[in-house]
Amino acid sequence: MSATSVTSQVFKFGGAALCNADAIKNVVQIIAEHPSRALVVVVSAMGKMTNQLEKLIEAHTTDDVKRRDTELEIFFKYHDDIVNNLFELQSHPVYQDIHNLKTTMRWSLDEHLSSADAVYDQLIVFGELFSSTIVFHALCLNRINAHYVDIRNVFKTDDHYRDAAVDLDYSEARAIEVIQPLLSNHIVVTQGFIGSTSDNYSTSLGREGSDYSAALLANFLNAQQLTVWKDVPGVLNADPRYFQNARLIEQLNYQDAVELTYYGATVLHPKTIKPLQNKAIPLYVRSFLDLNHTGTCISNYAYATYKPKSSYILKKNLVLITAQRNDLSFITEAHISMIYHLLWMKRAKIHVMQISAVSFSFCCDRFTDMDTFIEELSHSYTVKYNSPVQLLTIRNYQESKSAQVLEGKTILLEQRSRQTCQFVLPDDV
Ligand code: ADP
Ligand code: ASP
Ligand code: MG
């Protein structure tokens, strides 16, 4: 099947770009000034509304009705304030749409589902549903020919709630069927992060997943490019929250981008790059605050022609565990696979590991029943651990600069490969 009839572009706006009425006006202006009308606009929830929904869900699943209602009111009021600011006319259709969403949301609270994760997904989607409804109407108000698409009718997923896998073939066919024809004369506004099962239960693709949704749509529609609009000038060589003097990386190849996001550069969801690389679609990471700069372009750059900057990535809130055989026998593949299996059952992700003759050290995310895990492990191993720790990854490192960054720091574990070095440090900053 071919999706090349209209050459489209995909824009993705995250929470920071949509955090209040002025921010939304800015988004409308960015879209209005863009020369291409064949545009798919993917939005995530406004501001920190997904976190707000998580509070609501927590209260709901623990039957704390009073707190649940308070959290629900906070969620509603946040959107009401934005709507009241953007749409003066009380008869504007946005008010009816928001009213309908509130009603549906209240119904979802009365639904009885077997798993907490399924309940979570029926509610978490409302951040994106409110946001896309408001952005759609804001575009129409500014005489932009927009069309609203509920992506749950396009992205079909399995029922692995909170981390659902998209059925790529089916969803691609649906994107071509539903979205592609609209692009000849509409700007399509839709949601990131969400989908639905074949039984039409809502699902979510994992926190921060709307970059990934946008990349999938770009792939399905053979888009010319994807632009994600952020509150930073582009991909920087370090997270500006932790490193002063972080510098913009103007060009990045897909491989470096995958590695950076995998190690913890949270500016992009790690799954974003693959769908783009597969079709050689460039990804622009740009600032919605400064339209004069093109930001970072992530593309097929060959190492011969492009010189990647050293990048510093910090992953926090991890645990470093060392397991040593009690009887001083060697650590074998069987031991490692047993430990890996236990971790896999807990869904804890290993970020670094190191093996010596009699011990196995690994650094992984902290997980809820870590104590039980350590107790289980202690039956056969002497276990030591440090928690919390942080993992500093330096990609394309230079010895002298790395030494500067590490000056005065206690290194708990260290590992180097040709392009990357990693250090586990106490998480005391
Ligand atoms: P969105 O609004 O699309 O959800 P995010 O908040 O997820 O955007 O991503 C932008 C944030 O990512 C920035 O505000 C910044 O703090 C953080 N960040 C982490 N690592 C980097 C990096 N290497 N370059 C730029 N920003 C980074
Ligand atoms: N709104 C979702 C979240 O906060 C998805 C996203 O922002 O990418 O995780
Ligand atoms: Mg995000």
Side-chain angles (χ1 to χ4, degrees):
M1 218 179 298
S2 158
T4 47
S5 47
V6 184
T7 313
S8 56
Q9 291 199 18
V10 181
F11 277 5
K12 181 255 163 172
F13 295 97
L18 301 164
C19 63
N20 56 37
D22 284 343
I24 294 167
K25 286 179 192 162
N26 181 47
V27 164
V28 170
Q29 197 180 340
I30 291 174
I31 295 169
E33 285 174 6
H34 192 260
S36 163
R37 297 289 83 188
L39 201 59
V40 182
V41 175
V42 175
V43 297
S44 70
M46 296 178 160
K48 301 272 178 221
M49 281 299 109
T50 305
N51 294 352
Q52 177 59 29
L53 285 170
E54 286 194 339
K55 286 191 203 166
L56 182 157
I57 294 163
E58 207 262 321
H60 178 56
T61 44
T62 52
D63 289 326
D64 187 343
V65 178
K66 193 162 167 263
R67 189 157 66 85
R68 179 196 82 179
D69 288 347
T70 311
E71 304 298 1
L72 187 65
E73 275 320 306
I74 295 174
F75 180 80
F76 286 169
K77 185 174 180 310
Y78 182 92
H79 294 95
D80 285 344
D81 286 349
I82 291 179
V83 170
N84 288 327
N85 187 312
L86 290 175
F87 306 90
E88 279 169 23
L89 218 63
Q90 287 295 314
S91 58
H92 191 281
V94 70
Y95 287 97
Q96 185 60 47
D97 283 353
I98 292 294
H99 174 80
N100 293 347
L101 279 172
K102 287 180 184 174
T103 309
T104 324
M105 199 169 164
R106 288 202 178 93
W107 285 341
S108 297
L109 285 168
D110 290 335
E111 232 177 338
H112 293 285
L113 292 167
S114 52
S115 87
D117 288 349
V119 172
Y120 176 100
D121 272 2
Q122 305 323 297
L123 294 165
I124 207 75
V125 295
F126 282 95
E128 273 64 17
L129 296 176
F130 273 68
S131 166
S132 51
T133 300
I134 296 171
V135 170
F136 161 70
H137 282 293
L139 289 172
C140 295
L141 189 70
N142 286 272
R143 299 200 170 75
I144 295 170
N145 205 14
H147 197 286
Y148 175 91
V149 169
D150 186 333
I151 205 69
R152 292 174 298 174
N153 298 324
V154 176
F155 278 16
K156 287 293 159 183
T157 71
D158 63 10
D159 61 358
H160 193 156
Y161 294 104
R162 297 188 71 159
D163 189 20
V166 177
D167 179 338
L168 298 175
D169 291 339
Y170 182 88
S171 305
E172 174 171 13
R174 286 289 290 160
I176 293 166
E177 187 185 336
V178 176
I179 298 179
Q180 185 71 35
L182 294 167
L183 291 172
S184 53
N185 53 359
H186 290 94
I187 284 179
V188 169
V189 179
T190 194
Q191 309 80 23
F193 176 57
I194 67 174
S196 74
T197 64
S198 52
D199 299 334
N200 294 324
Y201 282 102
S202 298
T203 51
S204 65
L205 313 184
R207 285 299 310 264
E208 301 295 327
S210 44
D211 293 333
Y212 172 53
S213 301
L216 283 182
L217 277 175
N219 173 303
F220 296 162
L221 299 168
N222 285 319
Q224 204 181 11
Q225 65 185 63
L226 163 64
T227 307
V228 293
W229 297 89
K230 302 275 174 179
D231 60 355
V232 279
V235 178
L236 307 174
N237 74 333
D239 187 336
R241 286 171 301 180
Y242 307 127
F243 293 86
Q244 287 172 345
N245 310 324
R247 284 179 301 139
L248 177 70
I249 305 177
E250 272 143 13
Q251 294 184 329
L252 200 56
N253 70 13
Y254 293 121
Q255 193 183 330
D256 277 329
V258 168
E259 298 288 352
L260 293 188
T261 56
Y262 176 83
Y263 292 132
T266 56
V267 64
L268 291 169
H269 188 281
K271 281 158 107 179
T272 311
I273 308 299
K274 182 179 184 295
L276 302 172
Q277 185 275 348
N278 289 175
K279 288 204 174 160
I281 299 169
L283 166 60
Y284 288 87
V285 182
R286 292 185 61 179
S287 166
F288 58 80
L289 300 165
D290 181 1
L291 306 186
N292 294 323
H293 288 102
T294 45
T296 302
C297 178
I298 300 171
S299 189
N300 245 340
Y301 301 113
Y303 281 112
T305 54
Y306 117 109
K307 293 252 169 304
K309 280 194 174 79
S310 298
S311 301
Y312 303 81
I313 306 130
L314 206 54
K315 217 181 206 353
K316 291 168 88 68
N317 207 20
L318 307 176
V319 56
L320 173 66
I321 301 179
T322 300
Q324 182 169 328
R325 296 290 293 161
N326 285 334
D327 59 1
L328 227 63
S329 56
F330 291 137
I331 287 279
T332 66
E333 285 72 10
H335 300 125
I336 296 168
S337 84
M338 189 278 283
I339 296 174
Y340 247 94
H341 183 72
L342 283 179
L343 286 166
W344 176 73
M345 303 269 284
K346 313 272 183 209
R347 304 226 170 233
K349 194 164 169 275
I350 294 192
H351 301 291
V352 199
M353 59 177 189
Q354 211 163 66
I355 308 162
S356 79
V358 292
S359 73
F360 178 49
S361 297
F362 54 93
C363 181
C364 66
D365 296 319
R366 292 211 287 176
F367 47 95
T368 18
D369 47 355
M370 224 163 69
D371 292 346
T372 334
F373 169 80
I374 287 172
E375 205 186 299
E376 266 174 66
L377 210 58
S378 303
H379 296 154
S380 323
Y381 300 85
T382 304
V383 182
K384 291 187 185 145
Y385 67 95
N386 299 70
S387 176
V389 294
Q390 55 187 358
L391 174 65
L392 171 67
T393 302
I394 311 180
R395 175 95 179 146
N396 301 315
Y397 63 93
Q398 292 169 8
E399 283 303 341
S400 58
K401 284 197 186 151
S402 308
Q404 264 174 31
V405 173
L406 290 162
E407 208 178 291
K409 299 217 159 70
T410 309
I411 299 171
L412 300 169
L413 187 144
E414 174 174 347
Q415 208 163 74
R416 280 162 204 270
S417 64
R418 249 162 285 195
Q419 279 169 303
T420 307
C421 57
Q422 295 189 292
F423 304 92
V424 178
L425 311 165
D427 198 350
D428 47 16
V429 243

